[in-house]
């Protein structure tokens, strides 16, 4: 059950990243603009810090959609190597043939 909650947590992060992407980009633009006064840039940094932590794109991780496993992840299939192997062994993936597993 814990693995499902990690999948849900990752989906929540994806929603937050999409929701705050424009605002975050706007604040970063102001904060990094050297032509703006120091006080304005500092205020932009404070507003950026007040945004939800999980709305940052760097907090997103690739996770298996079946197990929630973060390692050995195949991007095209969105599953881990272990889930791929199990699905291949049971014949659930079309075109995949069991070799010498």
């Amino acid at each position: 059950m814990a693995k499902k909650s990690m999948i849900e947590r990752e989906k929540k992060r994806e929603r937050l990243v999409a929701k705050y992407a424009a605002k975050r980009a706007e604040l970063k633009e102001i904060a990094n603009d050297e032509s703006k006064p120091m006080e304005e840039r500092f205020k932009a940094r404070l507003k950026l810090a007040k945004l939800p932590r999980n709305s940052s794109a760097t907090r997103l991780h690739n996770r298996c959609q079946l197990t929630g496993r973060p390692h050995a992840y195949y991007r095209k299939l969105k599953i881990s190597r272990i889930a791929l192997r199990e699905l291949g062994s049971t014949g659930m993936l079309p075109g995949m043939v069991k070799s010498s597993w």
Side-chain angles (χ1 to χ4, degrees):
M1 190 68 176
K3 293 176 183 171
K4 288 290 182 190
S5 66
M6 286 306 297
I7 294 170
E8 293 304 315
R9 188 182 302 175
E10 201 62 32
K11 287 180 183 175
K12 180 181 176 185
R13 284 181 182 153
E14 287 173 7
R15 286 192 302 268
L16 281 172
V17 167
K19 180 179 179 182
Y20 288 99
K23 186 168 188 165
R24 187 173 283 276
E26 179 186 321
L27 288 172
K28 278 186 181 181
E29 178 94 21
I30 294 169
N32 294 328
D33 189 0
E34 294 289 328
S35 65
K36 304 256 186 209
M38 180 65 92
E39 292 152 1
E40 190 177 341
R41 289 189 291 152
F42 186 69
K43 284 181 184 177
R45 290 260 179 221
L46 288 177
K47 286 181 183 176
L48 198 58
K50 288 190 186 240
L51 291 179
R53 185 171 285 162
N54 281 333
S55 68
S56 174
T58 59
R59 293 185 58 98
L60 292 175
H61 298 288
N62 292 327
R63 285 194 178 270
C64 176
Q65 296 295 307
L66 302 175
T67 62
R69 180 182 165 86
H71 301 291
Y73 173 83
Y74 289 97
R75 289 179 187 213
K76 284 188 177 180
L77 302 172
K78 296 192 177 196
I79 58 175
S80 68
R81 67 175 176 84
I82 295 170
L84 176 74
R85 186 173 173 172
E86 279 192 26
L87 290 173
S89 292
T90 57
M92 299 296 287
L93 289 176
M96 184 170 231
V97 181
K98 182 179 173 187
S99 182
S100 60
W101 295 348

